[in-house]
Amino acid sequence: MFSLRLCSKKPFASLTSLSSPSGLINRQNLIRARHLQPIESKCLFRRCYAQLPKKPISKPNLSAVEQAKQQAKVAAANVGSKHYDIAERLLIYHAGTGRITFLAMVKVTTLFLGAFFTFVVVPGYIKAEKPEWETVGVALCGLIPLIFVAYTTSPFVTHIYIHLPPAARTSRPVLERFIHSALPPSTELTLTTMSAIAKPRYSTMQAGHLRPSNRRFGIVNYVRDAEDAMAENETRKWYNLRAMSKFGVQEVRPQKKKVKGKKSKDLTEAWIWDALKDKIEKRAVVDSGKAA
């Protein structure tokens, strides 16, 4: 704006004085003109090299194939980067807070009940010299519920996590394409169950080692390859629990619609488990066809 104002003025308009004769130049106006000459040259310099503001270049609409290629290039360039838009481990299944809490309370309650009958009631019966059949019956009252609950609830899966490779963590579209098309059987999964004292147990395996099944009256609907479980047991010490090979993944009810203005606390990527479950079932059908 400053250069435009200076350039709009006429530096030699005041050389001729109104009081002097025509054609004569005032001495004071000459001195002023000497000072205005460099300013005029600067204005001309700025005008010559001034550039108009650049307009945004409109890019042509890319096809879906070209967009996929660009996303693949970005994913390949960001493989060595330490910053990713998606976490390395994603929660893809959650059995529900109500189910998990109720099951943990049942496990702890039956554990205390069995301990009470075994270490308090049975010694009292023995000390009172009760008949043997009564003493055995009291002991079974504490042990049978404990064994039944442990047998029926041990396969219950509370959480399922998927471990993503770096190439699938760059953006959301890349993750969706990886899950729906390029999900390899070597993708690692971590299934969480509960021990007899309601402590979490983690079982890490490949997705290709999991297949559907129907055992324990429908409680177990997924089993792990026996060879894979045996290989994991060889790496464990003798005092550690054996690797889990039977799992029960319950169906989760669809959530209600979100209320506007209310933040959702659910961080489960359930669509990944749905896609993975379909792939496991299709793989089982193909394997059974080959075996037949």
Side-chain angles (χ1 to χ4, degrees), residues 14-243:
S14 60
L15 289 177
T16 58
S17 178
L18 296 175
S19 60
S20 61
S22 60
L24 297 179
I25 299 175
N26 193 358
R27 184 178 180 182
Q28 294 180 355
N29 293 334
L30 284 172
I31 296 172
R32 292 178 181 175
R34 291 176 181 175
H35 292 287
L36 289 174
Q37 285 178 359
I39 298 176
E40 180 69 11
S41 63
K42 291 181 179 179
C43 293
L44 293 174
F45 180 77
R46 291 184 180 180
R47 281 186 179 181
C48 293
Y49 292 94
Q51 295 180 357
L52 295 175
K54 295 182 179 179
K55 295 182 180 180
I57 301 173
S58 59
K59 296 181 179 179
N61 295 328
L62 300 177
S63 61
V65 178
E66 293 178 352
Q67 290 180 359
K69 289 181 179 179
Q70 288 186 357
Q71 292 174 358
K73 290 180 180 179
V74 173
N78 293 334
V79 167
S81 177
K82 295 182 180 179
H83 302 284
Y84 298 97
D85 294 339
I86 301 171
E88 180 182 0
R89 192 179 72 164
L90 287 182
L91 177 65
I92 62 176
Y93 173 82
H94 188 269
T97 307
R99 289 180 179 179
I100 298 172
T101 305
F102 175 76
L103 188 61
M105 292 177 62
V106 170
K107 282 178 171 289
V108 174
T109 302
T110 53
L111 182 63
F112 280 108
L113 184 65
F116 173 75
F117 275 93
T118 304
F119 299 105
V120 177
V121 179
V122 172
Y125 270 64
I126 294 174
K127 187 176 182 179
E129 297 181 356
K130 297 286 184 178
E132 294 182 357
W133 64 271
E134 291 185 5
T135 305
V136 173
V138 170
L140 292 177
C141 289
L143 294 177
I144 290 176
L146 182 62
I147 296 172
F148 176 78
V149 170
Y151 180 78
T152 55
T153 61
S154 60
F156 182 78
V157 176
T158 59
H159 304 79
I160 298 178
Y161 296 90
I162 185 172
H163 300 265
L164 298 174
R169 298 166 53 197
T170 54
S171 63
R172 192 78 180 182
V174 174
L175 173 63
E176 293 178 359
R177 187 166 60 254
F178 172 79
I179 295 298
H180 291 294
S181 60
L183 184 64
S186 60
T187 304
E188 288 190 352
L189 302 175
T190 299
L191 281 70
T192 307
T193 55
M194 284 192 290
S195 62
I197 58 175
K199 182 181 178 182
R201 294 183 61 184
Y202 302 101
S203 302
T204 302
M205 69 199 72
Q206 295 182 1
H209 294 162
L210 202 64
R211 65 178 187 273
S213 180
N214 187 6
R215 301 181 183 181
R216 293 190 187 182
F217 308 102
I219 298 175
V220 176
N221 52 8
Y222 288 95
V223 294
R224 181 183 183 182
D225 288 346
E227 296 180 358
D228 185 41
M230 292 175 61
E232 185 177 351
N233 287 330
E234 291 178 357
T235 60
R236 296 191 176 193
K237 297 182 179 180
W238 62 271
Y239 53 83
N240 291 333
L241 296 174
R242 300 294 90 186

